[in-house]
Structure formats: C-alpha cells, structure tokens
Amino acid sequence: MGGLGGCSMGVRLMVVDDHRLLAEALASALKLRGHRVLAAAAPAAGAAELVITRAPEVCLIGTATPAEPGIFDPVVKIKRERPQVAVLVLGPVPSPRGIAAAFAAGASGYVRHDERIEGVERAIMKARAGEAAVAPQLLQGAFSELLNPAAQPDDEGQRLLQMLTPREVEVLVRVADGEDTRLIAAGMGIAPSTARTHVQRVLMKLGVGSRLEAAALAARTGLLDRAGPVTHSSPTDSETVPEPP
C-alpha cells in the first residue's frame, strides 16, 4: 500500500481504452499500487453502460483524438446517469480545444498518456476528492482557447468561413435555411444564374457535393454561428449585369 502516497485505502476504478492492451496494462499497474480495478474495458465508445452499471469512484477513459467531435459523448452519458463517478481522460498532448471539450463534457481531469504512474495516481486521488486534475500548462491552454476561439488555427469553422466571401456566406446561410435557387436570387436581388453560380462556388470551396452536405457541414463546424446575422445588402454591379435579351 506504500504506493498510495499515504492514503490507507485504494480507489475503486475502471480503466477504459480503445486499445485493450493499454487498458489492461494500466489496470495491472494500478492494482499493484493497491487500487481496486473493477474492469479494464474496450472500446471506449461502448463502455459507458458498463461504467454506469459498476459505478466506480473514478473512471479513466483513454482517447487518441480528444478534439474529435462527439469523442466525449460517453463522458456526458456517464455523468448524466452517475454524476458521482469522477471521469479522468487519458490522452495525447491535446489541442486546447480537446482539453476544453473534456471538461465541457463533465470530466474531472485530463492526464497525458505518457504520464508516469505516480502522476496518474495523483490525478486519481484529486478526482476522487472532487478536485480538478489537470497540469497547469494544459489548463492555461484551455482557458486561452475559451477566451480566443477564433485565433486557434485548428478551428475548422473559422477556417471555412475565411474561405468564403461575404456574399457566399449569405448564400450558404440561405441554403441552410432551405431556400432554393429562385428564392436565393429573389432574396439577394440577383439573377437565378448568378445565384446558381454562387451556390456552386460555395459547394466547391467547402469540398462537398450537395446543398444538404453544405448545410450539414456548416452546422457541425459552427460556421453559421460564427457568420452571425446576415446583412442583406444591395447587390453589386457585377452581380446585376442584365442577361442578354
């Protein structure tokens, strides 16, 4: 029990990782240090029900892609069903967005997967005590992301928005609202052929093949939220060239 850093009782744990060997290796190391490991499970995406059923004090969830959308859905589910379970995320050196996403989902901490076992154990004890378990430099990065989201180069919504002209942004917003070419043209005061050209350019720049895909991509990346309210300005001369009779 000497590995518990003075704590007389081990922690009831579960270890979840997409790589079963990693989960089992970490579970074995924690058992040797006096903790009670209820299960070592894989894959992470399907382990939420097991965690909810076994109700450990702390659950360690490993991920290789902390910034991927939806990756922390299991954490959300666990915290909704078993709010008393502290969840620690084990992952690579993350983008600040990954750290922010982990805490937004309800995680109690984030530990780099190359951390020594002593560091993992310290994080476990902090999480069980209801404290945030994250290295100061990682937490600082997460706060920077929350305060300056548009400044981050890995922000896909912002990157896509910068590819579009203001008129193309307006077209995309109208496409997302379900307007067809005729409605877009009427709303913007331009010819249907010009509206069709704008739509085609938007699809090309976003790298999608249909209006539905464009709308879905804009919603998923938060592009529409970043675009803000569209100002329906008067069309430019280049967009109102009369078609030949």
Side-chain angles (χ1 to χ4, degrees), residues 1-229:
M1 294 290 181
L4 295 178
C7 180
S8 60
M9 294 180 61
V11 181
R12 294 174 62 250
L13 298 166
M14 280 188 61
V15 182
V16 175
D17 197 291
D18 287 332
H19 300 89
R20 182 173 294 277
L21 285 177
L22 294 179
E24 292 178 349
L26 181 55
S28 296
L30 290 169
K31 284 179 182 178
L32 289 174
R33 299 178 73 85
H35 299 288
R36 181 185 175 194
V37 180
L38 303 180
E49 293 295 342
L50 183 59
V51 175
I52 292 167
T53 300
R54 302 297 296 274
E57 292 177 283
V58 180
C59 173
L60 291 86
I61 293 184
T63 177
T65 54
E68 182 179 321
I71 197 69
F72 294 125
D73 286 351
V75 179
V76 174
K77 185 172 184 178
I78 291 168
K79 296 303 292 185
R80 183 175 62 242
E81 300 293 331
R82 294 282 188 181
Q84 72 276 21
V85 175
V87 179
L88 276 178
V89 174
L90 301 173
V93 178
S95 69
R97 185 169 51 169
I99 284 281
F103 277 95
S108 297
Y110 190 105
V111 182
R112 286 173 49 169
H113 62 191
D114 59 353
E115 179 65 76
R116 295 170 61 89
I117 188 65
E118 293 85 0
V120 175
E121 189 174 51
R122 281 193 298 271
I124 289 171
M125 305 309 293
K126 278 190 171 185
R128 184 175 70 166
E131 301 174 24
V134 61
Q137 64 271 27
L138 295 183
L139 193 58
Q140 183 179 9
F143 275 120
S144 296
E145 161 65 15
L146 293 174
L147 293 173
N148 305 289
Q152 297 300 327
D154 62 344
D155 187 325
E156 185 179 6
Q158 183 69 16
R159 180 181 64 80
L160 293 175
L161 187 61
Q162 291 173 344
M163 294 169 57
L164 304 176
T165 68
R167 300 294 281 172
E168 289 167 347
V169 171
E170 181 176 347
V171 169
L172 177 58
V173 171
R174 290 179 178 277
V175 167
D177 286 341
E179 294 186 11
D180 59 17
T181 301
R182 187 172 297 277
L183 284 175
I184 293 173
M188 297 179 67
I190 58 180
S193 59
T194 303
R196 192 174 301 109
T197 298
H198 277 314
V199 171
Q200 290 171 348
R201 286 176 179 167
V202 169
L203 299 185
M204 180 183 66
K205 287 185 177 182
L206 296 182
V208 296
S210 70
R211 298 179 183 217
L212 183 60
E213 288 180 72
L217 178 63
R220 178 176 62 80
T221 61
L223 192 156
L224 296 179
D225 294 333
R226 292 193 177 283

